[in-house]
Amino acid sequence: MAVPAQDLPARVRIHEVGARDGLQNEKATVPTEVKAEFIRRLADAGLTTIEATSFVHPRWVPQLADAEQLFPQVADLPVTLPVLVPNERGLERALALGARHVAVFASATESFAKANLNRTVDESLAMFEPVVHRAKDAGSAVRGYVSMCFGDPWEGPVPVHQVVRVCKALRDMGCDELSLGDTIGVATPGHVQSLLAELNEEGVPTSALAVHFHDTYGQALSNTLAALQHGVATVDASAGGLGGCPYAKSATGNLATEDLVWMLQGLGIDTGVDLGRLTATSVWMAGRLGRPSPSRTVKALGKTTQSHQE
Amino acid sequence: MAVPAQDLPARVRIHEVGARDGLQNEKATVPTEVKAEFIRRLADAGLTTIEATSFVHPRWVPQLADAEQLFPQVADLPVTLPVLVPNERGLERALALGARHVAVFASATESFAKANLNRTVDESLAMFEPVVHRAKDAGSAVRGYVSMCFGDPWEGPVPVHQVVRVCKALRDMGCDELSLGDTIGVATPGHVQSLLAELNEEGVPTSALAVHFHDTYGQALSNTLAALQHGVATVDASAGGLGGCPYAKSATGNLATEDLVWMLQGLGIDTGVDLGRLTATSVWMAGRLGRPSPSRTVKALGKTTQSHQE
């Protein structure tokens, strides 16, 4: 039974990150054919934006070292397949394979910029500028990830103006969409709405914003609801909650796409996703990874869909 | 960093159900002294309403067969200690021990009334009426639980008017507070807000309402946010998410108190709860039950609080 709530978007686009952000953070290295099959099943379940892989140096992210082999195997799917590009070299590799949606990965904090990119925030923005320009010139859409938008493990709470500055810089260099990441999962709904309002005031429209929540403290879905109430209509999620083991003390799992779809379906918000097929895909993938999905919806529905998973 | 959101209550009272609803649904039978210690630790963590036990027939709920032994061990705590009473006999046992807050347990659906109480909805309401009257006469406050307020495993979605009818009947017989239960965890925020609005229209004030969500599909906290936005200021939760094994296919865990407190703290809403102490209590209890807590916040914080748990 779908019961709409007031002032929510009629349609939400899910930006599925399981194959990239999810698998990048899994210990197991997944064979290229399994990744391709995973992406095909996600498309078959109705997801229309499926982040496929990352063209970073294999030394940094060995889990995604097969980007060159994987991308051509899925490139013909009738869906949008963004890929992560860390620099100009990664962008050229992606463009050469026909990628037409790329993403750069910035940080709102100096500590994480240093840890993740070995640069200051400004140095990393300077590194991304030619990447974004070249991508736009080549006809590619560009997403800018902004991590640590709410809290940072070294710096604690992150001031809103600091996040806004990075977002504006990415918009100014040409990013079409920004994904606001709560990388350590500490955000709560008031903080989410205050960041969104401040971004609007500084000229960044809600239509250019996506949210990317982690479920470390169980807050991802309520933060998503707060963002939808502000008008955000693009939500990042990871099929089955892939990425970050739920049994580790420092679990940092992504919002599970199934838990998100359950809420959106109940609200009568169109996503195009078939929840049964998606759950079956996550059950299948959990089998390949050798551990159960941390998604509550997959746990609850998995029993009924497991029978037609293959 | 606390960032308030608009139009939320300044203070929320948490109705802690771990010792009753939680332990009632755990497979392990917990020794009486451990239950008493659990309740003392919950009080020490700042919880002010701790549902202690149930005076049902031991044959139905063997996990809580020690109500007579347990209640006197905690009765001197400076907190409110509601107990469940299924009928007049249970009520007399509770009153004799000095209980001054009791709760009856109704169903919004015929199927669950039959399964749980072996009566029709109307027969069960008729059974509760003298219980509520006698309790009020004895100076006790009375809470009415209403289960299956959103969906029912046999009947599917539950019409709002059906829930409203049961709620009005319980109010008319004298219940001070109603707890709206999403027993199978299927609710979504629009459905929550529509039920609350309909109850208001039919004369049941929000101040008399509590919400009781289950995390079966990961929806409990976003539904809670929707209820807070409607003005609800009493929320049921279970320390550590006790009640319903997270590894079972049919997991039906309660909203974890820690996940709730994380959100409320982030919103600057006062609960009086010390999250560190509460987490330590849940880690301690998980040790007694021999399995990890399903609460994401307990998982994330447990590492840091485990050292001072004893």
Side-chain angles (χ1 to χ4, degrees):
Chain A
M1 185 169 76
V3 187
Q6 282 180 331
D7 301 326
L8 295 185
R11 187 171 166 80
V12 163
R13 184 169 61 82
I14 298 175
H15 185 108
E16 168 62 43
V17 299
R20 198 277 304 166
D21 190 13
L23 294 183
Q24 167 178 336
N25 290 296
E26 291 287 334
K27 273 184 190 161
T29 299
V30 177
T32 308
E33 320 70 270
V34 173
K35 290 176 183 168
E37 175 71 13
F38 182 42
I39 292 170
R40 277 193 292 268
R41 286 177 184 240
L42 292 170
D44 187 53
L47 288 155
T48 56
T49 305
I50 306 173
E51 201 161 291
T53 187
S54 172
F55 288 87
V56 297
H57 195 288
R59 184 155 27 99
W60 300 351
V61 184
Q63 293 92 333
L64 304 182
D66 59 352
E68 238 97 22
Q69 291 74 50
L70 173 63
F71 194 81
Q73 291 190 33
V74 294
D76 63 333
L77 286 170
V79 299
T80 302
L81 294 166
V83 296
L84 210 65
V85 294
N87 49 32
E88 290 184 86
R89 174 158 162 66
L91 173 65
E92 293 306 330
R93 289 167 60 207
L95 292 176
L97 288 170
R100 287 301 170 261
H101 289 79
V102 302
V104 296
F105 200 90
S107 167
T109 67
E110 294 295 342
S111 302
F112 191 65
K114 183 75 186 165
N116 200 40
L117 304 164
N118 199 27
R119 280 168 174 79
T120 67
V121 167
D122 285 338
E123 285 166 359
S124 64
L125 292 171
M127 172 177 74
F128 292 135
E129 187 151 22
V131 178
V132 174
H133 289 169
R134 166 77 180 109
K136 299 292 291 180
D137 286 346
S140 172
V142 183
R143 158 178 263 224
Y145 279 103
V146 184
S147 52
M148 304 295 173
C149 286
F150 299 93
D152 173 288
W154 298 277
E155 301 179 17
V158 179
V160 163
H161 67 82
Q162 196 172 315
V163 183
V164 170
R165 187 179 77 86
V166 173
C167 287
K168 283 179 72 178
L170 289 167
R171 283 286 290 175
D172 288 346
M173 66 179 77
C175 283
D176 303 284
E177 179 174 274
L178 302 177
S179 171
L180 307 170
D182 180 22
T183 316
I184 60 171
V186 296
T188 44
H191 198 165
V192 172
Q193 294 193 325
S194 112
L195 174 58
L196 292 168
E198 187 69 21
L199 281 164
N200 293 162
E201 274 197 22
E202 295 290 326
V204 182
T206 302
S207 59
L209 296 172
V211 287
H212 184 111
F213 293 118
H214 280 215
D215 223 4
T216 321
Y217 299 88
Q219 309 295 309
L221 201 56
S222 48
N223 288 334
T224 301
L225 178 61
L228 297 175
Q229 288 171 337
H230 190 89
V232 171
T234 304
V235 180
D236 295 8
S238 173
L242 281 179
C245 175
Y247 307 108
K249 296 265 184 196
S250 59
T252 53
N254 283 292
L255 171 61
T257 312
E258 289 85 353
D259 297 7
L260 171 64
V261 170
W262 185 281
M263 182 176 81
L264 296 176
Q265 241 176 227
L267 288 164
I269 295 175
D270 184 22
T271 63
V273 173
D274 179 319
L275 185 56
R277 282 191 186 184
L278 179 59
T279 300
T281 297
S282 291
V283 169
W284 171 83
M285 194 65 204
R288 297 303 167 280
L289 292 168
R291 65 162 185 80
S293 160
S295 159
R296 313 244 178 197
T297 301
V298 171
K299 278 197 182 81
L301 289 182
K303 198 177 179 178
T304 46
T305 55
Q306 199 154 17
S307 54
H308 32 94
Q309 68 165 294
E310 292 285 348
Chain B
M1 184 169 76
V3 187
Q6 283 181 333
D7 301 326
L8 295 185
R11 188 172 165 80
V12 163
R13 184 170 61 82
I14 298 176
H15 186 109
E16 169 61 44
V17 299
R20 198 277 303 166
D21 190 12
L23 294 182
Q24 167 178 336
N25 289 296
E26 290 287 333
K27 273 184 190 160
T29 298
V30 177
T32 308
E33 330 56 280
V34 172
K35 289 176 184 168
E37 175 72 13
F38 182 42
I39 291 169
R40 277 193 291 269
R41 286 178 185 239
L42 292 170
D44 187 53
L47 288 155
T48 56
T49 306
I50 306 173
E51 201 163 290
T53 186
S54 171
F55 288 87
V56 297
H57 195 289
R59 186 156 25 98
W60 300 351
V61 184
Q63 293 91 333
L64 304 182
D66 59 354
E68 239 96 22
Q69 291 74 49
L70 173 64
F71 194 82
Q73 291 189 34
V74 294
D76 63 334
L77 287 170
V79 299
T80 303
L81 294 166
V83 296
L84 211 64
V85 294
N87 51 33
E88 290 184 86
R89 173 154 166 67
L91 174 65
E92 293 306 331
R93 288 168 60 206
L95 292 175
L97 289 170
R100 286 301 170 262
H101 289 80
V102 301
V104 296
F105 201 90
S107 167
T109 67
E110 294 295 343
S111 303
F112 191 65
K114 183 77 186 165
N116 200 40
L117 305 164
N118 198 28
R119 280 168 173 80
T120 67
V121 167
D122 285 337
E123 284 166 0
S124 64
L125 291 172
M127 173 176 75
F128 292 136
E129 187 152 24
V131 179
V132 175
H133 289 168
R134 167 76 179 108
K136 299 293 291 180
D137 286 347
S140 173
V142 183
R143 159 177 263 224
Y145 279 102
V146 185
S147 51
M148 303 295 173
C149 287
F150 299 93
D152 174 289
W154 299 277
E155 302 180 18
V158 178
V160 163
H161 67 83
Q162 195 173 315
V163 184
V164 170
R165 187 178 78 85
V166 173
C167 287
K168 283 179 72 178
L170 289 167
R171 282 286 290 176
D172 287 347
M173 66 179 76
C175 284
D176 304 283
E177 178 173 275
L178 302 177
S179 171
L180 307 171
D182 180 21
T183 316
I184 58 170
V186 296
T188 43
H191 198 165
V192 172
Q193 295 194 324
S194 114
L195 174 57
L196 292 168
E198 187 68 22
L199 281 164
N200 293 163
E201 274 196 22
E202 295 289 328
V204 182
T206 302
S207 58
L209 296 173
V211 287
H212 184 112
F213 293 118
H214 280 216
D215 224 3
T216 321
Y217 299 88
Q219 309 294 310
L221 202 55
S222 47
N223 288 334
T224 301
L225 178 61
L228 297 175
Q229 288 171 338
H230 190 88
V232 171
T234 303
V235 180
D236 295 7
S238 174
L242 280 179
C245 175
Y247 308 107
K249 296 265 183 193
S250 58
T252 55
N254 284 292
L255 170 61
T257 312
E258 289 85 353
D259 296 7
L260 171 63
V261 170
W262 185 280
M263 183 176 80
L264 295 176
Q265 244 178 225
L267 287 164
I269 296 175
D270 185 22
T271 64
V273 173
D274 179 319
L275 185 55
R277 282 190 187 185
L278 179 59
T279 300
T281 297
S282 291
V283 169
W284 171 84
M285 193 66 202
R288 299 301 167 282
L289 292 168
R291 64 163 186 79
S293 160
S295 159
R296 313 244 178 196
T297 301
V298 172
K299 277 197 183 80
L301 290 182
K303 197 177 179 179
T304 46
T305 55
Q306 199 154 18
S307 54
H308 33 94
Q309 67 165 292
E310 294 284 347

